Amino acid sequence: MSRLRRDPRMERAAHRIAGTPRPRFDLAAASAATSAATSAAPGRLRRDPRGEERLALVPGTPRRRLDRTQRVALAPAGAVPAAAMAETAPRLVVIAEPAYLVAVVPDAPGGRLTPHDRQVIGAARLLADAGGGAVLALVEMPGEDLAAAGVDRVLGLPVAGYDPEAKAALLHAVLDGLDIRHALLPESADGADLARRLAALTGEALFAGAESLTAKAITRAAQGRRIEQRRAPPRLITLAADASAPHGGAPHEAIPVVFALPTLAPGAILSAEFVPADPASVGLDEADFVVSAGNGVHDFTAFRALVAALNATPGASRMVCDAGLMPRAAQVGASGTVLDARCYFALGIAGAPQHLQGVARCEHVVAVNTDLHAAMIERAGLAIVADAQKVMPALIDALTGAGAAEAQP
Amino acid sequence: MKIAILFSAGRHAASGRPAPVPVELQAIRLARELIGQAAGDAAGDAAGDLSGDAPGVITGFHAGPDAGPLKDALGHGLSRLVQLSIGAQDDPLPSLAAALGAERFDLVLAGRSGQGGEDAGLLPYALARALGLPIVADACALAAGPQPGTLSLEQALPRGARRRLILRLPALITVHPAAPAPLPFAFAAMRRGMLETREGVPAPRAAGEVEERAYRARPKLIAKSAAGASATERLKAATEAASSGGRLLVDPSPEDAAREILAHLRQIGVLRH
């Protein structure tokens, strides 16, 4: 209980005037002192419901809204935050003298970071910021998105073709040569392979598939997901997907580092050839590029021809699948398939919230729709307000025309 | 061609009872079909139940206290299983390295990551290093290579893509779940198969600084909105990705629209030609 128990004898004793032979109590004078004492005492304070409500009021909304959780620091409305934003936005974080390095080896197919790579860099940022370190990215092809992802230093790994053994040997040389406290890799197909090669080369323990990471502790599942292992972050770590947030702050400088890499003999792999997935046979959840038809598409022969010409996987909205114009397996959205595609091309789809949930993880969205105010137009990176029925034949013409023009010379 | 397959003490995904790991059963099928090809037998069915004079032998290896449910692997087309008897907490690496080093195998197949121990998938790599073999991960199809002593394999990549590799043997290869399904179980084949028990190399693991507790599923990260934001804003954060300043064209001619779309698709690297 927060309310204090009263002790009347003690209260009376507090009123007693000292230095008199007979006990005398000055209740009038002491009452002011006791009232001051009670108001300052840690007993129950009087609530001010109106004041609390005023604090919880969210400013800047047309309807009166209260945020009783108070988890967001309430920013004073006005021009002050805008000025602060303008001041902070272009600033670059510079770590001139890092205490140590946290190495990251992103997959970065074609020099572009994947979302998983960004999460790994975010985790490395966390480990580096805990002790004044810097994040070093070891990439085959340095791209321009590394600075925004939160990388301080970049080192290129010259590996010709697919040769994970050589890449692991180069990484081993870098880990030996530089002051690297942690090395983080994504637990993806290539990253997982590379991390295990590196662990076998160095003989160090690998903390594989970490599911949560802080500067003090890191966890992973073991024994068929029945046991959780937990320890302080070791040197070699691979991070599972969606385990850490990507770096959301100001960009870092991403300056190149000079390091003398050793030259290596060729390995046992004699040749490697990339075979792209057949988009017609690959499942919608695995597809890389999805072209989807909605209620604005009537000519499904042209739609299928367009999908084939674009070398994409066909998808559809719920309306089209309900009408039986496309198979149910092609439905995109909350009750269909949640896509993991790189690009989503929506033809004649307005974008119901349930449909947009299915597209949430797509990196690029292109939309063609007649309604300027459709949610899909707002979501798209390239939005075209036009009739999808008319755009489809033009696209097929442009694609086949481009193909014919390429074939002629 | 002599092929070895590594087996781990797996658990059934749903019931949690001891069971063989499906990927390792898929490896049996890959090995049998490879031997069948080498023998000029397209079906590859007759190649498994054979004795010494046949073109190939498949041997399974398991290091652990008990073969237990791994006898099922014999029913899925394995002809011989060798159990290297070690303690439950021992490191299987020295036992396996000694057993595989004693016989010369052309090809060693393993699952993508074993089960029952750390589940880190590190053992095939450490074993390849101990045996001095090259290692390739995530194979989903095997075939004889163009030259003798080489192997052509397909590596499964995310999103249904494949990588075709030609590799010099001997090698250690881990198998991906995208490989063809295991051969159906046959009780008589299980009875016929040989199970051999040998003494392994006892190798107690050093106690690490790892603390173990019961597993607790953690929530995956979702798109975050400001805490305490309204329901509409949270839905928006869940449905909208970070938009990179979208471009809007209102009522262009269909040809202009097509040109813009194709240029955009080429720029983001989705359209190759």
Side-chain angles (χ1 to χ4, degrees), chain A residues 241-285:
Chain A
D242 295 335
S244 177
H247 173 62
H252 285 241
E253 45 182 351
I255 48 172
V257 175
V258 183
F259 184 78
L261 290 163
T263 50
L264 297 158
I269 295 174
L270 303 175
S271 81
E273 175 198 358
F274 181 76
V275 186
D278 176 16
S281 67
V282 80
L284 209 52
D285 52 344

Side-chain angles (χ1 to χ4, degrees), chain A residues 65, chain B residues 225 228-238:
Chain A
R65 218 158 61 67
Chain B
S225 64
S230 71
T232 328
E233 284 159 31
R234 272 184 278 122
L235 179 67
K236 261 191 182 169

Side-chain angles (χ1 to χ4, degrees), chain A residues 151-180:
Chain A
V151 171
D152 299 304
R153 309 277 189 272
V154 182
L155 177 58
L157 293 176
V159 179
Y162 175 70
D163 195 354
E165 215 166 336
K167 199 171 174 188
L170 289 180
L171 282 180
H172 186 199
V174 173
L175 283 192
D176 271 356
L178 296 174
D179 173 28
I180 289 174

Side-chain angles (χ1 to χ4, degrees), chain A residues 65 67 69 71-72 112 162 165 189-190 192-193 196-197 199-201 204 206 208 211-212 219-231 241-246 267-278 282 286-289 309-310 340-343 345 353 356-357 359-360 362 364-366 368 372 377-386 390-391 394-395 398-399 402 406, chain B residues 11 16 112-113 115-122 125-126 129 133-138 147 150 154-168 209-221 224 226-230 233 235-236 238-252 254-262 264-273:
Chain A
R65 218 158 61 67
D67 175 19
T69 55
R71 281 175 293 186
V72 216
R112 287 197 178 106
Y162 175 70
E165 215 166 336
D190 280 350
D193 181 43
R196 284 159 180 83
R197 281 174 197 275
L201 264 180
E204 285 178 47
L206 169 72
E211 293 184 345
S212 76
T219 66
R220 69 179 288 267
Q223 296 185 19
R225 306 190 82 76
R226 286 177 303 136
I227 294 280
E228 183 181 87
Q229 294 183 334
R230 183 187 184 86
R231 62 167 293 178
D242 295 335
S244 177
I269 295 174
L270 303 175
S271 81
E273 175 198 358
F274 181 76
V275 186
D278 176 16
V282 80
E286 275 199 322
D288 187 40
F289 177 27
L310 283 171
D340 203 12
R342 196 149 47 108
C343 180
F345 182 11
L356 289 177
Q357 279 174 26
V359 193
C362 296
H364 304 284
V365 174
V366 179
V368 178
L372 173 63
I377 293 283
E378 197 183 323
R379 166 74 175 83
L382 173 65
I384 290 172
V385 181
K390 292 188 183 129
V391 173
L395 267 173
L399 279 167
E406 259 174 42
Chain B
R11 294 224 164 226
R112 209 169 168 217
S113 82
Q115 278 187 12
E118 293 269 306
D119 295 3
L122 200 56
Y125 291 85
R129 184 143 181 82
L133 296 179
I135 181 166
V136 172
D138 292 347
Q147 287 101 32
T150 59
E154 268 189 20
Q155 195 180 30
L157 299 178
R159 297 190 170 161
R162 299 280 185 265
R163 197 186 277 135
R164 205 165 287 143
L165 301 175
I166 295 175
L167 185 75
R168 204 182 301 118
E209 48 198 306
V210 178
E211 177 192 339
E212 295 196 338
R213 27 175 104 168
Y215 182 72
R216 176 169 70 87
R218 283 166 196 282
K220 287 208 164 189
L221 285 187
K224 264 192 200 141
S230 71
E233 284 159 31
L235 179 67
K236 261 191 182 169
T239 53
E240 285 180 10
S243 61
S244 53
R247 234 151 47 82
L248 179 68
L249 303 179
V250 181
D251 272 333
E255 287 72 31
D256 285 348
R259 210 172 306 121
E260 285 290 334
I261 291 169
L262 292 184
H264 183 75
L265 292 180
R266 286 198 181 102
Q267 190 209 330
I268 61 182
V270 178
L271 208 57
R272 290 271 150 68
H273 47 87

